[in-house]
Amino acid sequence: MAPQQHGTEIGMKTLVWFRQDLRLYDNPALFEAAQRGPVIPVFILDEEGCGEWRPGGASRWWLHHSLRSLQQQFARKGTRLILRRGPALKVLQDLVEKTGVTAIAWNRSYDPHSVVRDKAIKNYFLNKGLCVTSHNGALLTEPWEILTGQGTPYKVFTPYWRQASGQIDDSTPYPVPDLETVASLPKSDDLGDWRLLPGNPDWSGGLAWRWTPGEQGAQRRFEAFLEKGLPYYATKRDRPDAEAISGLSAHLHFGEISVRDIWRKLRLFEDLSDTATSVTKFRSELGWREFGTYLLFHFPHLPERPFRPEFVNFPWRDDKEALRRWQKGQTGYPIVDAGMRELWHTGFMHNRVRMIVASFLTKHLLIPWQVGARWFWDTLVDADLANNSAGWQWVAGCGADASPYFRIFNPVMQGEKFDSDGRYVRRWVPEVGALPDKYVHAPWRAPREVLMEAGVVLGKTYPAPIVDHAAARERALAAYKSMK
């Protein structure tokens, strides 16, 4: 994909501004800058530039470890990653003055705040006579390249993906470039001084156990998925107890792995009998990731306002106690509680379970989707403004591509279907672990003697259901009808 650029020449010293592209391989901004001359790599923690969407706690933990990994990679290449904190334009002005660079390069971000900020920064330095280039290092296609026949953005996934998947740039990846040594580099902040890691108490033990942030960790996880997960992806991806998902969402969000490289490597498996269907399905999921970014780019209000404007009138409830029990995994519905506890301990939740818990919050409890999205934003290691907002709106029924009817997941049936032997629930909700499979997703249905034998006392050792499903369903449907 050709970069947006203004004036280039060999011998330029370039400041490469890293953002959500924390990798060396297949990094177009870094590679093309290195072909012109010396490179000064910089990461700026610009929390003011994020507006109200500053990174949440789990994202900050991941960012710390990802930056530490990137620092080590640059050290092995004979240079240093410069860390600075503050408003991006002000920091860049200072660095340009101190380094004498004649060019700045970055890979594009697509959230509303970044688009506005980056445009202002580009115009500022162009007016100062610098060469400024921006590149696509995050997506398979650019959001402005995929439009309807009327020149408007798509609002439904299927026609969007039909066009987008046929326009993917599948060219050779950019190799890790050789970097010239820069004699004098400006002072860098100490990563520890940024205090991205949790203090007292340190809740990150589960995150450290499950994840290895950084480019090398991303590559290892992808290789493991190709070997162990891809053959079963099409048939088992909805089972939270199966190891059939990629686990790449956080790595992709922070740009530790290239989505174009993933797409290319899937070619090796698309014609094999045991993986062909899974490749098609996994590519479609990559398409949903693209579609989320696409929607946010064209509809910047997505994180705050319903995509379907009629939902402005939906009669949401303010129920702080119900919200607290949902957040803590104490709703009395084991599949919901298992998901919320997995999220709290590991910074992650299986996608099927995300849909279940989001449906429970917005449909059973009638708590606004924005409240759930905020909780995910703080607790998910893969918190992504586009996909978090689009996903919550889709489940709530007010988003793009939403169901024409008011879908309300039955948490018991969902548990029985996708966790049929209760392995997932037993892992995260051990209070009900001794119940037979027949009752593990609905303990209140078990006979008294079965509960006693399993050591379950509803309301004491494990909560009774916070709401009755049938009554909550009727209340939600009534709310939907009243809105219309």
Side-chain angles (χ1 to χ4, degrees):
M1 190 69 63
Q4 294 180 4
Q5 58 185 2
H6 301 270
T8 61
E9 60 185 65
I10 301 299
M12 280 185 169
K13 182 164 62 172
T14 304
L15 187 154
V16 178
W17 179 17
F18 281 78
R19 296 108 69 82
Q20 289 174 254
D21 54 344
L22 305 181
R23 66 181 188 274
L24 303 187
Y25 180 70
D26 203 23
N27 187 318
L30 175 65
F31 180 83
E32 295 193 13
Q35 305 316 296
R36 297 197 297 263
V39 166
I40 298 178
V42 174
F43 181 88
I44 302 170
L45 184 62
D46 180 10
E47 295 178 294
E48 292 184 18
C50 300
E52 61 180 306
W53 294 101
R54 298 183 179 188
S59 292
R60 290 166 69 85
W61 175 90
W62 191 289
L63 177 62
H64 173 95
H65 291 288
S66 188
L67 287 173
R68 182 69 75 200
S69 175
L70 190 63
Q71 284 180 317
Q72 294 167 354
Q73 287 180 277
F74 273 117
R76 288 191 289 269
K77 298 291 290 183
T79 190
R80 182 159 50 93
L81 175 66
I82 306 301
L83 302 179
R84 289 292 182 88
R85 186 174 197 166
L89 176 57
K90 183 177 180 180
V91 171
L92 289 170
Q93 289 171 328
D94 179 67
L95 290 172
V96 167
E97 179 182 350
K98 291 180 177 176
T99 60
V101 298
T102 53
I104 302 175
W106 63 74
N107 292 309
R108 289 186 281 278
S109 297
Y110 301 89
D111 63 271
H113 296 291
S114 294
V115 170
V116 173
R117 178 197 63 188
D118 294 355
K119 183 177 181 180
I121 289 174
K122 177 174 282 189
N123 289 336
Y124 175 86
F125 284 108
L126 285 175
N127 290 333
K128 294 293 182 179
L130 273 69
C131 165
V132 183
T133 62
S134 62
H135 308 254
N136 177 8
L139 298 176
L140 295 168
T141 59
E142 295 284 21
W144 51 84
E145 294 176 342
I146 313 299
L147 299 172
T148 68
Q150 291 72 43
T152 58
Y154 285 100
K155 297 182 179 181
V156 178
F157 174 74
T158 300
Y160 158 81
W161 187 234
R162 186 183 301 120
Q163 183 183 153
S165 59
Q167 295 182 206
I168 292 171
D169 176 16
D170 206 9
S171 56
T172 304
Y174 297 94
V176 177
D178 294 325
L179 300 177
E180 296 183 34
T181 301
V182 178
S184 179
L185 289 172
K187 182 180 178 182
S188 173
D189 292 352
D190 185 280
L191 182 58
D193 291 342
W194 285 2
R195 299 187 182 278
L196 297 173
L197 298 178
N200 188 17
D202 182 355
W203 42 259
S204 64
L207 278 64
W209 166 79
R210 186 161 185 172
W211 305 108
T212 305
E215 185 170 6
Q216 292 177 327
Q219 289 293 341
R220 286 196 296 269
R221 184 167 287 273
F222 182 46
E223 290 166 4
F225 170 66
L226 292 176
E227 178 185 353
K228 300 177 181 179
L230 185 62
Y232 311 102
Y233 186 79
T235 56
K236 294 186 177 181
R237 60 175 294 274
D238 276 319
R239 292 192 61 92
D241 63 326
E243 298 296 329
I245 60 172
S246 72
L248 289 171
S249 52
H251 295 292
L252 280 165
H253 170 75
F254 287 93
E256 299 167 346
I257 190 169
S258 159
V259 68
R260 292 196 313 134
D261 188 44
I262 290 174
W263 188 271
R264 278 188 296 266
K265 288 179 178 174
L266 288 171
R267 276 182 173 183
L268 301 173
F269 302 87
E270 62 187 1
D271 294 325
L272 301 179
S273 60
D274 61 338
T275 55
T277 303
S278 288
V279 167
T280 299
K281 184 59 182 174
F282 187 67
R283 281 179 166 169
S284 176
E285 294 304 310
L286 292 177
W288 276 102
R289 173 184 176 270
E290 297 270 318
F291 190 49
T293 303
Y294 176 89
L295 290 172
L296 181 61
F297 179 82
H298 288 290
F299 305 99
H301 66 271
L302 195 67
E304 288 90 21
R305 302 203 310 272
F307 189 79
R308 294 171 59 183
E310 64 268 28
F311 269 80
V312 170
N313 299 317
F314 193 86
W316 299 109
R317 299 175 68 243
D318 179 14
D319 190 334
K320 292 182 173 56
E321 175 59 19
L323 173 63
R324 186 192 67 81
R325 290 183 61 175
W326 177 82
Q327 291 171 335
K328 299 297 183 182
Q330 296 288 335
T331 68
Y333 285 88
I335 191 69
V336 174
D337 295 341
M340 299 307 295
R341 296 182 193 187
E342 180 190 22
L343 172 63
W344 183 256
H345 287 285
T346 71
F348 185 79
M349 191 191 302
H350 187 280
N351 187 61
R352 168 56 58 174
V353 187
R354 294 189 196 199
M355 291 190 285
I356 296 169
V357 305
S359 178
F360 190 86
L361 184 75
T362 57
K363 308 293 179 59
H364 285 72
L365 303 181
L366 295 184
I367 292 176
W369 61 269
Q370 296 96 326
V371 175
R374 284 283 182 183
W375 184 254
F376 272 26
W377 181 257
D378 190 45
T379 53
L380 280 171
V381 293
D382 63 11
D384 181 272
L385 188 60
N387 285 283
N388 192 45
S389 303
W392 271 94
Q393 290 224 40
W394 182 86
V395 174
C398 58
D401 219 275
S403 172
Y405 56 91
F406 204 50
R407 179 190 289 109
I408 302 171
F409 285 173
N410 182 325
V412 176
M413 292 178 61
Q414 290 284 311
E416 292 172 344
K417 181 177 181 179
F418 297 110
D419 186 34
S420 54
D421 56 7
R423 288 176 56 194
Y424 178 74
V425 157
R426 287 187 172 93
R427 179 177 182 182
W428 295 106
V429 190
E431 304 98 301
V432 301
L435 285 172
D437 293 352
K438 181 179 180 180
Y439 301 113
V440 74
H441 290 292
W444 61 92
R445 294 178 181 171
R448 182 179 179 185
E449 60 272 17
V450 173
L451 291 173
M452 291 179 61
E453 185 176 350
V456 177
V457 181
L458 293 178
K460 292 186 177 181
T461 63
Y462 183 67
I466 189 173
V467 290
D468 173 74
H469 167 69
R473 182 178 185 277
E474 290 304 314
R475 182 176 66 176
L477 290 174
Y480 181 62
K481 290 178 182 176
S482 72
M483 174 197 74
K484 298 181 71 174

